[in-house]
Amino acid sequence: MGKTFMLPIALLPAAGLLLGIGSSFTGDSFIQLYHLESVMGEGTVIFRILTILKDCGQIIFDNLALLFAVAVAFGFAKAAKEVAALSGVVGYFMMYAAMTSTITNFGDLETLQQTPGLIGEVLGFDATMNTGVFGGIIIGLVVAGLHNRFYKVEFPDALSFFSGTRFVPIISAFGAIVVGIILSFVWPYAGAGIAWLGKMVANLGYVGTFLYGFIYRALIPLGLHHVFYLPFWQTALGGTAEVAGQTVEGAQNILFAQLANGQPVSAEAAKFFSGMFPFMIFGFPAAAYAMYRQAKPERKSDVKGLMISSSLTSIFTGITEPLEFSFLFASPLLYFGVHCVLAAFSFALMHFLQVGVGLTFSGGLLDFILYGVLPGQGMTNWIPVVVVGIVYAFVYYFVFTWFIKKFDLKTPDQL
């Protein structure tokens, strides 16, 4: 399965750079914090150009699950792969149409909307559930199975037009309807459970911060991480503070209100963000180097390009999907047993060291400089990020190397 993912994954570094650069420099918090309204504010030429970059990068990540559905259907098809790819698109659309309509006709939309991040817009469907890459993989596998079963089917003369590969998109559409109906009833329970986890970890101190970091990273493949982190970022679950006489709710809102008013950033608010910087800027590139070093000699040149581009994307923009998806399904132990644990410790360490660096988009170098370094050490206590980050580079490199060698784990060169 991991091999089928490499085609869409190869696209992610370029999309990540576009999205990261565009998002970092068009955010209201950045423009207001540095008083750049006249130069980069909404309506200026620079703002419009950066917005184009952001939108072009965003469209890839918004539809990443669709790309995975096509890649899985294409990769697992035994023959007539182009038909399987088309059927993957048909199946993905039908799955979301069925899921959205089932929610509207049989679900309680108001109740579902009470879980932040569960209901949103996907592919133009206004009130549906984002099943993320996991949903794309599910429908891709279903379509591939149906394709391999029916692409040679023969019908009587009266129905012969629909024989063979022409039948695959039809049966895939019906299969996707069943999947969509099932997910419309199952997925809300997953979302509700994750929302409950968020409430549980909110008041557990450093242990809670560790659990937050682990759950956040572990949920990314399911596309349910939004359900988990959004309440911390934007609601009272992430804290309440009085800033300049105004009551502010949500960790991200508190952080930027404090920056805008020249107040030192609260580490309690920043604990949901600051842990990203050590592993996104320092740790992950070191892990990429470890995977490159352990690659087969004849495949190193191929792996090198992916690892370099993915590392640069992680360093500058904090977008880690190109790296994470490159080994997630090939070596789940590396992802859940190593990366998620190290990332969780990063969150806990930054909280313990009282780091106050926040972000608008992700934990890359751009946000680190804008909201950590430039406001000053007295405001954000950013120096521990660099110290811990350097240590994390060595930890990620040696731990990844040891696990790959010890357990003979697959790396991108083996896909």
Side-chain angles (χ1 to χ4, degrees):
M1 185 180 292
K3 189 174 183 178
T4 68
F5 299 157
M6 297 312 292
L7 188 58
I9 285 172
L11 175 63
L12 295 185
L17 286 173
L18 292 173
L19 177 58
I21 293 171
S23 296
S24 296
F25 292 111
T26 58
D28 291 338
S29 300
F30 164 74
I31 293 171
Q32 294 171 8
L33 182 63
Y34 294 104
H35 308 292
L36 296 172
E37 288 86 355
S38 61
V39 180
M40 300 178 65
E42 189 171 352
T44 63
V45 174
I46 295 177
F47 181 90
R48 292 173 179 176
I49 293 173
L50 290 171
T51 300
I52 292 173
L53 299 182
K54 179 185 73 173
D55 291 344
C56 290
Q58 185 70 58
I59 195 66
I60 298 299
F61 286 93
D62 284 348
N63 295 287
L64 186 58
L66 173 59
L67 299 180
F68 272 73
V70 174
V72 170
F74 179 89
F76 277 98
K78 295 178 180 178
K81 289 179 176 288
E82 69 282 357
V83 176
L86 173 62
S87 300
V89 175
V90 172
Y92 189 78
F93 277 101
M94 292 296 282
M95 179 184 75
Y96 265 99
M99 185 161 53
T100 306
S101 187
T102 302
I103 292 171
T104 302
N105 290 288
F106 294 98
D108 187 345
L109 188 58
E110 291 185 4
T111 301
L112 294 175
Q113 288 174 331
Q114 292 175 7
T115 301
L118 181 62
I119 298 297
E121 181 182 345
V122 178
L123 291 172
F125 297 106
D126 292 328
T128 192
M129 291 179 290
N130 186 354
T131 58
V133 169
F134 189 70
I137 294 171
I138 290 175
I139 198 62
L141 290 173
V142 169
V143 168
L146 293 172
H147 172 86
N148 291 334
R149 172 68 178 82
F150 292 107
Y151 79 96
K152 289 184 178 180
V153 68
E154 295 291 339
F155 292 126
D157 291 343
L159 298 174
S160 60
F161 177 80
F162 300 103
S163 297
T165 55
R166 291 194 181 106
F167 184 66
V168 174
I170 299 172
I171 191 65
S172 296
F174 283 101
I177 292 173
V178 175
V179 172
I181 293 173
I182 293 173
L183 286 177
S184 66
F185 290 105
V186 172
W187 211 252
Y189 289 102
I194 290 163
W196 174 83
L197 276 177
K199 295 177 181 178
M200 184 186 71
V201 306
N203 299 309
L204 292 178
Y206 299 128
V207 174
T209 308
F210 175 89
L211 291 174
Y212 168 85
F214 183 87
I215 296 169
Y216 182 10
R217 303 316 298 178
L219 287 175
I220 285 178
L222 299 178
L224 287 169
H225 54 297
H226 302 294
V227 177
F228 181 69
Y229 78 72
L230 273 178
F232 292 101
W233 288 25
Q234 298 296 329
T235 75
L237 189 65
T240 302
E242 186 172 317
V243 183
Q246 300 288 326
T247 299
V248 183
E249 294 183 346
Q252 193 173 53
N253 300 324
I254 293 171
L255 187 149
F256 284 111
Q258 291 173 334
L259 276 177
N261 286 277
Q263 298 181 17
V265 176
S266 165
E268 286 300 312
K271 67 183 180 182
F272 302 108
F273 313 100
S274 55
M276 298 186 197
F277 296 103
F279 70 86
M280 289 183 176
I281 299 175
F282 300 91
F284 246 179
Y289 183 58
M291 288 187 284
Y292 165 74
R293 288 289 305 273
Q294 297 306 310
K296 298 175 181 178
E298 65 272 16
R299 293 295 308 279
K300 280 192 174 183
S301 59
D302 296 331
V303 175
K304 183 178 180 180
L306 175 61
M307 293 296 102
I308 290 177
S309 60
S310 299
S311 296
L312 290 175
T313 303
S314 180
I315 291 170
F316 286 106
T317 70
I319 294 175
T320 56
E321 283 87 348
L323 270 173
E324 286 175 320
F325 287 126
S326 72
F327 68 88
L328 165 62
F329 297 100
S331 299
L333 177 61
L334 271 182
Y335 188 84
F336 296 104
V338 179
H339 165 53
C340 289
V341 172
L342 291 177
F345 273 115
S346 179
F347 277 93
L349 280 171
M350 293 299 98
H351 184 195
F352 177 77
L353 295 172
Q354 297 293 288
V355 173
V357 183
L359 50 86
T360 56
F361 178 67
S362 195
L365 192 61
L366 293 174
D367 276 341
F368 179 60
I369 292 173
L370 295 175
Y371 307 113
V373 178
L374 293 181
Q377 170 68 10
M379 286 278 288
T380 63
N381 187 29
W382 60 268
I383 292 178
V385 173
V386 178
V387 176
V388 173
I390 293 172
V391 174
Y392 250 54
F394 289 98
V395 170
Y396 260 83
Y397 174 79
F398 287 111
V399 171
F400 263 65
T401 300
W402 186 85
F403 268 85
I404 292 170
K405 287 183 175 180
K406 177 69 175 178
F407 298 103
D408 192 26
L409 300 179
K410 288 186 178 293
T411 53
D413 70 295
Q414 296 171 292
L415 297 178

